[in-house]
Amino acid sequence: QVQVAESGGDSVEAGGSLRLSCTASGLRFDDTYMGWFRQIPGAEREGVACINYNGGKTYYADSVTGRFTISRDNNKNTVYLQLNSLKPDDTAMYYCAAGRSPYCSGVWYTTRNFASWGQGTQVTVSS
């Protein structure tokens, strides 16, 4: 059974930084792409970033490009999301998800491309 668990969410002021972590088990982590999504109440889950199985390729939503960085450590079965220059609009529940193959697809930002999800970690950015 695949298990995914996020941590690192917190409340910060605008301009601040956070690092989210996500560990996954029950899968061939080093052969699976991983992604981060976020969601606010009443809205659809939004793709934030995706990383290929070996970290060799990453993808970002336009809204976070240049501010967020996704990375992974396959020795620790962990994927990270570094959030810099945070804005109040970044406030959301952030979810980590495990993919279905080694490579993020061209439509990585859609939830149906991910097989397993964590419970989420809350990020709140105040102005």
Side-chain angles (χ1 to χ4, degrees), residues 68-113:
F68 292 8
T69 303
I70 188 171
S71 62
R72 66 191 295 159
D73 184 342
N74 285 349
N75 291 322
K76 297 182 178 179
N77 277 28
T78 301
V79 61
Y80 305 97
L81 187 67
Q82 178 68 39
L83 293 69
N84 296 332
S85 302
L86 281 161
K87 306 174 182 179
D89 284 350
D90 295 318
T91 295
M93 184 72 77
Y94 282 72
Y95 295 91
C96 179
R100 303 179 185 277
S101 71
Y103 300 98
C104 304
S105 72
V107 288
W108 61 267
Y109 44 84
T110 55
T111 57
R112 66 177 180 271
N113 287 314

Side-chain angles (χ1 to χ4, degrees), residues 15-102:
S17 297
L18 283 174
R19 189 175 83 156
L20 308 183
S21 299
C22 168
T23 58
S25 60
L27 76 166
R28 286 192 58 186
F29 185 83
D30 60 358
D31 201 31
T32 304
Y33 65 85
M34 299 291 294
W36 286 95
F37 285 72
R38 65 186 182 185
Q39 189 172 26
I40 59 174
E44 292 187 358
R45 200 164 290 190
E46 172 193 21
V48 174
C50 190
I51 186 167
N52 281 350
Y53 74 105
N54 62 356
K57 187 75 172 175
T58 56
Y59 302 82
Y60 296 94
D62 289 345
S63 59
V64 306
T65 297
R67 300 188 300 120
F68 292 8
T69 303
I70 188 171
S71 62
R72 66 191 295 159
D73 184 342
N74 285 349
N75 291 322
K76 297 182 178 179
N77 277 28
T78 301
V79 61
Y80 305 97
L81 187 67
Q82 178 68 39
L83 293 69
N84 296 332
S85 302
L86 281 161
K87 306 174 182 179
D89 284 350
D90 295 318
T91 295
M93 184 72 77
Y94 282 72
Y95 295 91
C96 179
R100 303 179 185 277
S101 71

